[in-house]
Amino acid sequence: MTTLLEVKDLEKHFPITRGAIIPHKVGAVKAVDGISFKVEQGKTLGLVGESGCGKSTTGRTILKLTEPTGGHIYFDGQEITHLKGEKLRRLRQDMQLIFQDPFASLNPRMTVEQIIAEPLKVFGMHKEERQKRINYLLEVVGLSSYHKERYPHEFSGGQRQRVGIARALALEPKLIICDEPVSALDVSIQAQVVNLMEDLQKAFGLTYVFIAHDLGVVHHISDQVAVMYLGEIVELGSYDELYAHPKHPYTQALLSAIPEANPHRKKERIVLKGDVPSPATPPTGCKFHTRCPFAEQRCRLEKPTMKVVSLTGQEAACHFVEEVSDVVG
Amino acid sequence: MEEQYLLKVDNLHTHFFTKTGVVKAVDGVSFSIRSGETLGIVGESGSGKSITALSIMKLVPNPPGRIVEGAIYYNGEDLMSKSEKQMRRIRGNKLSMIFQDPMTSLNPVFTIGRQLVETVRAHRDLSKRQAEARAIELLTLVGIPDPKQRLKNYPHEFSGGMRQRVMIAMALACDPELLIADEPTTALDVTVQAQILELLKRLQEELGMAIIMITHDLGVVAEICDRVMVMYAGRQVEFTNRIALFDHPKHPYTWGLLDSIPKMEKEKRRLQAIAGHPPDLRYLPQGCYFADRCKQATEECKMHEPTLTKLDDHHLVRCLLYEDIKVEST
Ligand SMILES: Nc1ncnc2c1ncn2[C@@H]1O[C@H](COP(=O)(O)OP(=O)(O)OP(=O)(O)O)[C@@H](O)[C@H]1O
Ligand SMILES: Nc1ncnc2c1ncn2[C@@H]1O[C@H](COP(=O)(O)OP(=O)(O)OP(=O)(O)O)[C@@H](O)[C@H]1O
Ligand SMILES: [Mg+2]
Ligand SMILES: [Mg+2]
């Protein structure tokens, strides 16, 4: 198996500046704060975690839509951390992004046809072939050819998201970073799109980084899952294992918070106390200690590192992995 | 004796008059909601959920959109006859909405703080300082850390979920009587979603607020909705209470919807999807709009348009399968 994407100690800090005339840095939002993972060719890494924990920033940094402030990114055997100019442009063909916000990411002045045609034109595809490809792409994402002449504002939320997916698929990239691609879709279309993405993955050997907060969908599509909290990865493992035996207390809380589509079953919830701390002033020690039901003195002082916690290579960053997983079973 | 409703929508038709034809986005929707009640609206993407909500707020973009038929009563008052000026006083005050697209509803050139303060002051007679205090209180309520500092940020400096929470804060700014929430937790992770749902439930108990919850998350429906309306191609296809929706769903589309939910089981298998696409709302077929995707469909379904049929006091369904067992005692 070959590794298509590797991220090592990746960091993205946004400076906080004050002063309108002479801006000076007074701090930093540590949106991504030293994360590492690998994604094998043809596989899917799911990236989950609380709102604001740095998932989108991770995706945007990998695509070099924003410059990393530290760490390394390797793609297809090549370090791309500081790639620029023509090389970066060529790389972009192989890496695509499906945006979280379908409203802000589509040009309102272009018809759907023009939106999808754009990358194909840049690629130099002829008009006739382009037409065929556009019709095909619309078909696979569940839109009809009569949608072609419409503008984004004439679509519902879910329909717009499908336009974004069609555009990302246009050039058959190697890697697609999917930033909550199905969050805005109703479940029946969610199922269609997830099935579609799985089919495309098999057919073209696509590799996905699949960002989501819906653990049901992540569970379904991912080979590996990384759980993020405040800019760091706290647990990483194969999907079955993570769901069967979550080791980190945060993962356990996330799993317990999923609302179940069954009005008769009341779930036992692990309710996290307090609010998500600000990424500008993260807590000392383990960043999760302010909300962790098991936190002790050591957690406030000492930062836990990722440790292998099972035979299959599941990893978690918690001082009390053994004790904690005993509690939940 | 007619029951006292907070909002009553009667035979609403909202159409878009485009160059290529008339899009019948909402085509004959009726429902009502009482104070303190939560009504869920679920349905296929593009089925008219948001346009139904925007119609109630009288915010349908015109042109090309227009309410062509129907009536909307709020507290017994006819909203259709209200002027834009009167509507502005009602909106954001008694009647409030969380919009589906947080980025386009926040102004990118103003700070979050300024926008919140303006919203608060538009409806309340507060000093700037008081309004700012209220803004901080609201951000705290929706779980934004470091709220005082965060007021100085611009929308692009917030994550998707945080922008969504700002929208929720704005909608709650004036303790509305009716909150229309269009996919309010879609951009949020489950732990924050759980907090927001708790918050809405609490506000509902404290203030008797009614909620129209538009969502595609049937887990959310199972958790907080009293009654649920299922929409397909601009119409209601099923309308019932929460328990019956999950225990005795009647419409084949609802069956498909319930089957599509990704299950958290160990075996990874293909998700169940409903094959096919919804119809073009400009050229609607004869007969049932769902017929060409429906496994139960007969020739008759393609000929005859089903009517919304009352199965019992709590269950309406639009499907020929049930038309012969209509109860006569209505
Ligand atoms: N400005 C417009 N011009 C033409 N058609 C429109 C316009 N706005 C919406 N529509 C159409 O009206 C229909 C209903 O849209 P609406 O936004 O209510 O869907 P929805 O049920 O909220 O979907 P979603 O779950 O994807 O948000 C859609 O088919 C859409 O294409
Ligand atoms: N351009 C920016 N300037 C300053 N701060 C930023 C910027 N972009 C993001 N941030 C901050 O970085 C943090 C991480 O944001 P990010 O969008 O990556 O979160 P996320 O995990 O994708 O959340 P969500 O699930 O809500 O989309 C947030 O605290 C956000 O406010
Ligand atoms: Mg994001
Ligand atoms: Mg909508």
Side-chain angles (χ1 to χ4, degrees):
Chain A
M1 235 187 284
T2 49
T3 302
L4 184 71
L5 174 72
E6 180 171 3
V7 162
K8 237 188 217 159
D9 306 322
L10 186 69
E11 208 182 86
K12 176 68 194 181
H13 292 180
F14 293 103
I16 306 172
T17 51
R18 287 283 166 275
I21 300 156
I22 311 166
H24 54 285
K25 197 178 152 193
V26 294
V29 176
K30 298 179 178 118
V32 178
D33 203 17
I35 66 172
S36 305
F37 60 78
K38 282 184 194 172
V39 194
E40 305 294 331
Q41 161 90 48
K43 299 282 184 199
T44 303
L45 174 82
L47 201 57
V48 302
E50 211 142 17
S51 167
C53 71
K55 303 180 297 293
S56 297
T57 306
T58 301
R60 295 175 59 82
T61 313
I62 292 170
L63 290 173
K64 308 258 300 140
L65 294 169
T66 172
E67 275 292 303
T69 50
H72 305 272
I73 309 163
Y74 304 91
F75 179 74
D76 217 1
Q78 183 197 3
E79 169 147 21
I80 60 162
T81 321
H82 300 294
L83 218 58
K84 289 200 172 55
E86 181 54 31
K87 278 189 181 155
L88 180 61
R89 241 195 315 280
R90 238 176 300 138
L91 176 78
R92 288 254 166 85
Q93 246 169 44
D94 287 335
M95 291 175 142
Q96 287 290 327
L97 176 66
I98 299 173
F99 289 88
Q100 176 170 12
D101 193 344
F103 300 92
S105 63
L106 300 176
N107 185 339
R109 284 175 216 291
M110 284 177 151
T111 63
V112 163
E113 180 166 18
Q114 289 164 333
I115 288 170
I116 303 173
E118 209 183 21
L120 297 174
K121 260 193 203 157
V122 174
F123 187 65
M125 195 182 269
H126 286 295
K127 189 158 183 221
E128 219 166 274
E129 207 182 332
R130 216 158 59 208
Q131 281 304 328
K132 257 195 248 156
R133 182 103 185 120
I134 292 169
N135 288 342
Y136 166 76
L137 287 166
L138 287 175
E139 177 68 32
V140 289
V141 299
L143 292 171
S144 303
S145 51
Y146 63 74
H147 287 118
K148 272 196 297 200
E149 301 104 69
R150 294 214 203 160
Y151 291 89
H153 72 268
E154 295 177 61
F155 285 100
S156 75
Q159 289 168 330
R160 269 185 253 198
Q161 189 59 295
R162 282 186 273 173
V163 175
I165 294 172
R167 180 179 58 185
L169 291 173
L171 292 180
E172 291 176 18
K174 290 184 186 156
L175 173 74
I176 305 184
I177 306 232
C178 317
D179 194 353
E180 316 218 7
V182 296
S183 299
L185 307 180
D186 64 90
V187 280
S188 73
I189 293 164
Q190 227 176 52
Q192 278 183 6
V193 172
V194 168
N195 287 345
L196 163 74
M197 292 182 68
E198 286 184 337
D199 292 344
L200 293 166
Q201 179 164 49
K202 275 195 212 107
F204 304 110
L206 290 174
T207 306
Y208 297 137
V209 173
F210 197 98
I211 300 172
H213 57 262
D214 182 333
L215 290 152
V217 174
V218 173
H219 172 194
H220 193 85
I221 200 167
S222 307
D223 300 289
Q224 290 263 307
V225 177
V227 180
M228 280 184 81
Y229 188 78
L230 273 185
E232 292 175 354
I233 291 179
V234 296
E235 185 157 4
L236 183 70
S238 77
Y239 86 99
D240 321 295
E241 242 190 333
L242 210 94
Y243 289 91
H245 310 288
K247 300 286 188 191
H248 196 283
Y250 179 60
T251 313
Q252 293 165 359
L254 267 187
L255 286 171
S256 81
I258 303 171
E260 232 180 305
N262 180 344
H264 302 293
R265 200 145 27 153
K266 277 273 160 269
K267 273 181 93 167
E268 264 314 309
R269 284 250 162 84
I270 303 172
V271 181
L272 294 177
K273 55 184 179 183
D275 293 327
V276 193
S278 159
T281 49
T284 56
C286 172
K287 283 189 183 174
F288 187 58
H289 86 250
T290 54
R291 305 176 72 201
C292 182
F294 307 103
E296 289 180 20
Q297 188 60 16
R298 182 173 170 203
C299 307
R300 281 178 271 279
L301 301 171
E302 193 185 322
K303 192 179 163 74
T305 51
M306 287 290 267
K307 279 191 294 268
V308 175
V309 292
S310 84
L311 292 174
T312 52
Q314 186 179 357
E315 293 174 57
C318 172
H319 291 306
F320 299 105
V321 166
E322 300 304 324
E323 290 87 333
V324 166
S325 40
D326 283 348
V327 174
V328 178
Chain B
M1 171 73 204
E2 181 141 3
E3 270 185 271
Q4 206 48 59
Y5 289 113
L6 182 63
L7 177 82
K8 191 171 165 69
V9 173
D10 197 15
N11 196 26
L12 178 71
H13 294 257
T14 306
H15 296 174
F16 288 90
F17 298 87
T18 69
K19 264 182 285 175
T20 51
V22 181
V23 177
K24 295 187 178 126
V26 178
D27 209 25
V29 165
S30 305
F31 63 89
S32 50
I33 180 168
R34 293 182 209 90
S35 291
E37 191 185 21
T38 302
L39 173 75
I41 305 182
V42 300
E44 184 101 359
S45 176
S47 62
K49 305 183 295 293
S50 296
I51 302 298
T52 300
L54 290 175
S55 302
I56 296 167
M57 300 294 286
K58 290 186 65 184
L59 285 175
V60 175
N62 177 8
R66 195 151 51 82
I67 298 176
V68 292
E69 201 186 325
I72 303 167
Y73 299 97
Y74 183 75
N75 256 337
E77 284 184 80
D78 180 7
L79 288 190
M80 297 299 291
S81 65
K82 295 266 185 260
S83 67
E84 175 54 26
K85 199 171 153 209
Q86 289 168 314
M87 274 312 292
R88 232 172 314 185
R89 215 169 308 141
I90 296 171
R91 277 198 295 261
N93 196 8
K94 293 174 170 170
L95 196 62
S96 192
M97 178 158 170
I98 303 169
F99 294 91
Q100 190 173 4
D101 45 346
M103 206 45 191
T104 46
S105 6
L106 286 171
N107 190 330
V109 302
F110 297 128
T111 61
I112 298 288
R114 172 157 175 190
Q115 297 186 57
L116 264 173
V117 164
E118 268 171 17
T119 307
V120 172
R121 293 186 76 190
H123 298 283
R124 292 278 152 91
D125 195 16
L126 293 180
S127 73
K128 221 174 149 196
R129 167 123 351 133
Q130 286 168 318
E132 211 170 283
R134 174 74 179 147
I136 292 171
E137 188 181 297
L138 286 164
L139 286 187
T140 312
L141 207 62
V142 294
I144 300 237
D146 206 4
K148 202 165 170 203
Q149 194 61 35
R150 283 298 195 166
L151 285 180
K152 296 179 196 138
N153 283 155
Y154 289 89
H156 78 270
E157 296 175 304
F158 271 36
S159 78
M162 286 156 76
R163 288 197 287 264
Q164 187 62 16
R165 281 184 273 171
V166 171
M167 295 309 299
I168 296 171
M170 279 190 181
L172 295 175
C174 300
D175 303 330
E177 293 170 348
L178 172 64
L179 176 70
I180 303 178
D182 194 354
E183 310 271 6
T185 57
T186 297
L188 304 178
D189 65 277
V190 283
T191 59
V192 180
Q193 169 169 293
Q195 277 175 13
I196 298 281
L197 294 182
E198 283 302 318
L199 169 71
L200 292 180
K201 269 194 253 181
R202 202 180 73 226
L203 290 172
Q204 188 160 46
E205 268 159 33
E206 283 169 14
L207 311 168
M209 180 172 78
I211 301 175
I212 296 177
M213 174 67 78
I214 301 175
T215 179
H216 60 256
D217 189 335
L218 291 157
V220 172
V221 171
E223 193 138 316
I224 70 161
C225 295
D226 299 305
R227 289 184 303 144
V228 189
M229 170 161 112
V230 183
M231 287 187 72
Y232 189 82
R235 297 191 162 173
Q236 294 150 282
V237 293
E238 187 155 0
F239 198 174
T240 186
N241 61 38
R242 173 179 59 136
I243 302 291
L245 182 86
F246 289 96
D247 288 358
H248 312 289
K250 297 293 184 196
H251 199 282
Y253 173 68
T254 313
W255 298 341
L257 209 57
L258 292 169
D259 284 342
S260 311
I261 303 169
K263 313 245 172 353
M264 300 280 290
E265 60 208 1
K266 216 165 158 21
E267 273 313 297
K268 193 165 148 174
R269 64 177 172 88
R270 212 170 161 72
L271 290 175
Q272 209 71 42
I274 307 171
H277 311 308
D280 185 342
L281 296 178
R282 292 167 307 169
Y283 311 107
L284 286 162
Q286 207 190 351
C288 172
Y289 297 165
F290 188 60
D292 65 337
R293 303 174 72 187
C294 180
K295 289 194 187 123
Q296 321 291 320
T298 60
E299 275 312 303
E300 202 171 345
C301 296
K302 297 190 175 131
M303 310 285 296
H304 296 288
E305 207 174 300
T307 52
L308 202 58
T309 305
K310 191 167 180 176
L311 298 179
D312 59 47
D313 282 347
H314 311 288
H315 217 136
L316 296 171
V317 63
R318 188 191 296 276
C319 175
L320 286 184
L321 284 177
Y322 305 96
E323 291 220 353
D324 45 325
I325 55 166
K326 194 179 332 190
V327 276
E328 295 301 320
S329 61
T330 37

